[in-house]
Amino acid sequence: MKYIDEFRRHDLALNLASAIAAEAASSREYRFMEFCGGHTHAIFRYGVQDLMPPNVRFVHGPGCPVCVLPVPRIDNAIELASLPGVILATYADMMRVPATKRTSLIKAKAAGADVRMVYSTQDALKIARDNPEREVAFFAIGFETTTPATAVAMLQARTEGLANFSVFSNHVLTPPALQHLLEAEDGADAARVDGFIGPSHVSTVIGSAPYEPFAAEYRRPVVIAGFEPLDVMQATLMLIRQINEGRHEVENQYIRAVTREGNRKAQKLMAEVFELRDTFEWRGLGWVPHSA
Amino acid sequence: MCLALPAEVIALKDDGENATVSLEGVRKTISLALVDDVTVGDYVLVHVGFALAKLSAEEAAETLALMAEAGVPGAENLGGGVEGAEGTGGAA
């Protein structure tokens, strides 16, 4: 597949691995946190860790919007789906995530709740159009990658006068979570992290600029990277070079998709539709101010 | 969850807001609400039925070329380099 296969090439992986081995100073450790589950997946699936010298380690970060959603929010979704007259539309990612008392959306569906899997917010809107007598609640979840699609749907629903469409929003913001990690990381007993591999597709939307204050304030380099194994390896090389040169900047490895400004159109839609919460709970991180 | 796949735009819909993309031969209608100036033949990153960004063929080629020489994007702007390395010839 174009833009995928090339970024999994064996010869280039070996090339990057030898550059990393040559440039990583044997006198120190390099510990890099990948924020995204997509990077963690690439590291494990393609054995990227095994291509690193022993002193270059990946510290696995928060993961994905599904991983960080606290259980009570899934309980809420199940309660919603179980109300008479309600159809709950959800991305398939959420269906099997365990809620309390060993329930899940898929079990609730089996027990009679009207839970519908959708690929897109456009499918959820169609369910609302086709079922005017029912209330359609969309279980909205996602980082900035996914939030614009919800914003578009809400504006469409308003334009069309679809009064039976509503959104149960669980959208979260990545920069506040990164700041939260950096603050914790500055604490005495926290695991030491020397730099961050920054989000891929979140960054297509928000751009690379939002990470700049953290890199400067906490003196940690951030390199935005694509989700393919070669992307992760090249970003690792970039982080090693920054550290060796005493730099702590935001750099962009994923130049084929990410700009400094990001997707202005998507940012404008999000700003138009959403309001910032004072605080929101992340599974594994706790309550993070202004993060949703 | 943030998975997004590169897909080729093969047709624009008459409404101007949607396009047909091909992903390994699988055709799908996606929304163009989040992008501007997409034309047939462009590759876009598709996420939950929306094009998130246009992919840059030039930047992808540059990234691969840099990987081949174990270089990194932006390094040309940092100065330095090895051009001034000492020669090995005899004394002038």
Side-chain angles (χ1 to χ4, degrees), chain A residues 238-252:
Chain A
M238 293 167 80
L239 285 168
I240 290 171
R241 287 186 182 170
Q242 284 210 40
I243 285 170
N244 289 352
E245 293 161 14
R247 293 184 290 123
H248 39 80
E249 297 160 11
V250 176
E251 291 183 321
N252 179 14

Side-chain angles (χ1 to χ4, degrees), chain A:
Chain A
M1 210 185 297
K2 191 170 158 73
Y3 293 112
I4 292 190
D5 296 338
E6 311 94 288
F7 294 93
R8 296 178 181 173
R9 270 172 56 182
H10 183 65
D11 58 327
L12 294 181
L14 295 180
N15 208 25
L16 288 166
S18 59
I20 288 168
E23 296 186 30
S26 56
S27 56
R28 60 161 296 156
E29 268 211 317
Y30 298 83
R31 293 167 59 88
F32 301 132
M33 177 179 280
E34 78 280 9
F35 187 93
C36 295
H39 290 129
T40 309
H41 176 80
I43 289 165
F44 279 88
R45 181 167 177 196
Y46 298 97
V48 173
Q49 181 68 71
D50 295 339
L51 292 168
M52 297 292 131
N55 57 328
V56 176
R57 308 295 304 171
F58 296 108
V59 180
H60 312 305
C64 70
V66 180
C67 325
V68 301
L69 190 71
V71 170
R73 305 293 291 189
I74 306 166
D75 292 340
N76 293 155
I78 292 171
E79 283 163 30
L80 261 178
S82 307
L83 292 174
V86 171
I87 299 171
L88 184 85
T90 177
Y91 292 129
D93 311 49
M94 299 311 301
M95 289 298 280
R96 291 175 190 276
V97 182
T100 51
K101 295 181 190 157
R102 296 186 195 171
T103 56
S104 65
L105 281 169
I106 202 159
K107 285 182 184 167
K109 183 179 170 74
D114 198 345
V115 179
R116 315 253 183 117
M117 272 186 278
V118 292
Y119 166 66
S120 163
T121 55
Q122 301 302 297
D123 302 337
L125 283 179
K126 182 168 187 307
I127 295 171
R129 283 183 208 112
D130 293 346
N131 297 275
E133 75 293 351
R134 308 275 299 276
E135 180 67 28
V136 176
F138 175 60
F139 189 9
I141 175 169
F143 292 152
E144 294 90 332
T145 321
T146 318
T147 311
T150 305
V152 170
M154 290 174 78
L155 292 173
Q156 279 173 295
R158 188 167 68 186
T159 306
E160 292 177 32
L162 268 180
N164 65 328
F165 179 80
S166 55
V167 166
F168 174 40
S169 178
N170 297 275
H171 287 302
V172 288
L173 298 165
T174 47
L178 187 61
Q179 171 150 24
H180 189 79
L181 282 167
L182 282 160
E183 279 170 4
E185 201 259 317
D186 257 15
D189 56 355
R192 186 173 60 85
V193 174
D194 300 305
F196 289 86
I197 295 176
S200 301
H201 296 136
V202 164
S203 304
T204 62
V205 174
I206 69 174
S208 65
Y211 308 102
E212 290 167 5
F214 311 133
E217 184 181 347
Y218 296 95
R219 306 179 65 82
R220 295 286 189 288
V222 177
V223 176
I224 292 152
F227 276 147
E228 297 305 324
L230 294 187
D231 294 322
V232 175
M233 293 183 72
Q234 192 174 38
T236 304
L237 180 59
M238 293 167 80
L239 285 168
I240 290 171
R241 287 186 182 170
Q242 284 210 40
I243 285 170
N244 289 352
E245 293 161 14
R247 293 184 290 123
H248 39 80
E249 297 160 11
V250 176
E251 291 183 321
N252 179 14
Q253 181 277 334
Y254 198 29
I255 51 174
R256 62 189 182 277
V258 172
T259 61
R260 186 171 180 275
E261 301 75 35
N263 183 332
R264 287 271 165 87
K265 205 171 175 183
Q267 291 166 15
K268 187 166 167 285
L269 286 162
M270 285 192 288
E272 184 178 346
V273 170
F274 289 97
E275 281 177 30
L276 195 60
R277 299 179 200 257
D278 290 336
T279 185
F280 195 74
E281 190 181 6
W282 292 53
R283 194 195 297 212
L285 294 185
W287 293 87
V288 182
H290 307 297
S291 65

Side-chain angles (χ1 to χ4, degrees), chain B residues 23-35:
Chain B
L23 243 173
E24 294 282 272
V26 176
R27 292 185 177 202
K28 190 143 187 73
T29 299
I30 61 154
S31 169
L32 300 177
L34 304 177
V35 284

